[in-house]
Amino acid sequence: MEFSSFSVWNSLRITQQEVDWAVVIWFPQCIPKHAFLVWLIMRKKLLTQDKILKWGLERRKNMNMMCCLLCYADIDSHDHLFFECKFSAHVWSLVRSKVGMDTVDPKWSSIVNWLMSRRRLKTAASFVERILVGATAYTIWQERNARLFKNQTRPPDSLSEVILTTVRYKLMGMKFKPCASVRRLMGAWEIPDDVLKNDGG
């Protein structure tokens, strides 16, 4: 029998039915570390305080359970952090208009539903929406961890600037066909026409 790494991988891995939301997370233009975090959020696998609370009373007797370090108003659960927390909702409100998501509520379920409704679109704008959501979630999680582990804080406008800059730099490295809609998109992100690749796809 001929050896191949593919056959070994298939014999080791656990396969499950593909979920319908995978397409809005994993796509060629995604930022891998952002996509991985969004995947963890979708599966509710981040180690937030609501997860710790489920470990039981015996294991948390000596734990100092903290409120959300972004708004100090609730325990940081997945739903709270993305983006029902007043702080993260403010960050979301500062960036969502850049991709035409002004009407999308600051709730993870609402954002996912919006992306799912547009998942079959292959437009540059639809890819940018997904990239922005990933960048926003990643930046919020980074801020939460910086406050938890380093005692470092940034205001919402600083985080929104980080998010928009991240997406802009990503766009500058992507290949798009130089059509009218792409030129409008690039103009909205203040990216010059000469960045467009003639061989884009």
Side-chain angles (χ1 to χ4, degrees), residues 12-46:
L12 294 174
R13 69 177 179 146
I14 299 173
T15 58
Q16 295 180 342
Q17 184 175 0
E18 183 175 341
V19 290
D20 56 359
W21 45 258
V23 68
V24 303
I25 299 173
W26 305 107
F27 53 100
Q29 299 84 357
C30 74
I31 300 174
K33 63 183 179 180
H34 295 181
F36 180 67
L37 180 79
V38 173
W39 179 77
L40 290 175
I41 297 170
M42 295 293 285
R43 296 177 62 85
K44 295 191 180 295
K45 294 295 185 180
L46 293 178

